[in-house]
Amino acid sequence: MSDAVSQHADEPTHWVLTLSCPDRPGIVRAVAGVLADHGGNITESQQFGDPLSGLFFMRVQVSAFAPREVLEGAMATVARTFAMTWSLDVVGRPVRTLVMGSTAAHCLNDLAFRQRSEKLPVDLVAVVSNHTALAPLAEFYGIPFHHVPVTSATKAAAEARLLELVEELDVELVVLARYMQILSDDLCRRLEGRVINIHHSFLPSFKGARPYAQAHDRGVKLIGATAHYVTGDLDEGPIIEQDVERVDHTRAVDDLVALGQDVERRALARAVRWHAEHRVLLDGHRTIVFR
């Protein structure tokens, strides 16, 4: 995977470094020292020590003339000392992303529009769907469309095809943009930390068909959405972002659906952006989000 960022010889590269490790004294000093020793200028730095897990988390943006292999070699030494999990990437590099959807178009349309108009740092390399309803939208945005039908008899083959596409297209992130199929435990494990899902926040109270109608019948006053990483526990993965909209008795079911779709778009877009910008770090079943 290339850096996908062209630099003039006389300009530094802007890097983003993320790490987590057991918390102990000297981590920030060691990281800052390595970057300074290689001519790095830190332009942004955030850190958090979690007293519950005993882990330390850090995100640093740095400009430096040193090439990737030099910085990675230097960081590897520090990482061994502190037992770090870490990554280094170019700031703003578009993350190769595959979007999965079924028939609802609002989340796919929003991501594609934001990528085009707001420089959402993703490269939408494919749309995969178990229906054909999203094909015209994918074509409009110039995104290759793959129809992969799913039945109980073909589920294993469909997931195998998805993994083939992930491998062939060098996919780094999979986004379930209202994809109405449950992924198997095996697939969730294979793509752990690389799949983001969005769903309405009525769960677990209002399950199944027509959740907004159920919510309307019960007179809910808040509707919302949750964006999270996908795990084998349905809709219970680490939460990245949530959003809500207040409603009252004057709202019809169709109003709730429209508002709910808008909340879903907002929450999913923020979650995808923060993931692509390396602002989300896993802390067990929770996330640390450096905004």
Side-chain angles (χ1 to χ4, degrees):
M1 186 166 53
S2 67
D3 293 341
V5 174
S6 61
Q7 295 285 337
H8 296 294
D10 58 346
E11 293 183 356
T13 300
H14 295 273
W15 302 97
V16 55
L17 170 69
T18 58
L19 62 92
S20 63
C21 62
D23 201 356
R24 55 180 272 198
I27 301 171
V28 174
R29 178 180 178 180
V31 172
V34 163
L35 297 177
D37 289 345
H38 292 83
N41 178 40
I42 294 176
T43 57
E44 181 180 321
S45 180
Q46 295 169 286
Q47 54 267 337
F48 173 71
D50 185 354
L52 296 177
S53 66
L55 295 176
F56 176 81
F57 301 85
M58 189 174 187
R59 181 185 185 276
V60 177
Q61 287 189 192
V62 58
S63 61
F65 288 97
R68 177 190 286 273
E69 57 270 20
V70 172
L71 290 177
E72 287 184 333
M75 271 303 303
T77 301
V78 176
R80 285 192 294 270
T81 300
F82 290 92
M84 290 178 180
T85 298
W86 63 284
S87 70
L88 182 72
D89 204 350
V90 173
V91 172
R93 180 186 65 81
V95 171
R96 295 180 65 80
T97 302
L98 181 151
V99 179
M100 302 186 73
S102 290
T103 57
H106 57 287
C107 287
L108 170 61
N109 183 64
D110 186 70
L111 291 174
F113 180 79
R114 290 177 189 271
Q115 188 275 328
R116 178 179 291 184
S117 64
E118 300 179 9
K119 297 183 179 180
L120 183 69
V122 294
D123 180 10
L124 301 180
V125 298
V127 172
V128 173
S129 179
N130 56 323
H131 296 276
T132 59
L134 299 179
L137 182 61
E139 181 181 8
F140 174 80
Y141 282 106
I143 309 170
F145 180 84
H146 302 268
H147 181 215
V148 183
V150 180
T151 66
S152 57
T154 65
K155 185 179 180 67
E159 291 193 346
R161 177 56 182 151
L162 172 62
L163 288 173
E164 287 178 0
L165 289 169
V166 168
E167 182 69 23
E168 291 170 5
L169 301 174
D170 195 21
V171 170
E172 302 167 84
L173 175 65
V174 175
V175 177
L176 306 184
R178 301 301 289 155
Y179 181 64
M180 307 308 291
Q181 291 289 324
I182 298 174
L183 304 185
S184 69
D185 289 351
D186 180 64
L187 183 61
C188 291
R189 285 191 294 268
R190 294 277 296 274
L191 299 176
E192 184 177 3
R194 299 167 59 192
V195 184
I196 295 176
N197 186 32
I198 184 71
H199 62 75
H200 59 76
S201 63
F202 296 141
L203 297 173
S205 298
F206 307 126
K207 300 179 180 179
R210 307 190 70 224
Y212 285 94
Q214 298 177 55
H216 182 268
D217 182 62
R218 290 291 298 275
V220 299
K221 299 299 184 278
L222 288 173
I223 59 175
T226 296
H228 63 92
Y229 287 116
V230 172
T231 66
D233 295 323
L234 181 63
D235 296 325
E236 295 185 16
I239 295 170
I240 305 170
E241 172 63 339
Q242 293 177 297
D243 201 352
V244 295
E245 191 78 36
R246 183 168 289 280
V247 296
D248 61 23
H249 60 278
T250 66
R251 298 288 190 173
V253 174
D254 288 346
D255 296 329
L256 299 192
V257 172
L259 287 169
Q261 289 182 346
D262 190 45
V263 174
E264 289 171 2
R265 285 192 292 261
R266 298 196 309 255
L268 182 60
R270 286 195 290 265
V272 170
R273 178 178 294 278
W274 293 337
H275 176 94
E277 293 178 347
H278 304 282
R279 296 186 180 275
V280 186
L281 286 78
L282 286 172
D283 184 11
H285 61 270
R286 302 191 302 152
T287 61
I288 305 301
V289 183
F290 291 124
R291 303 181 186 181

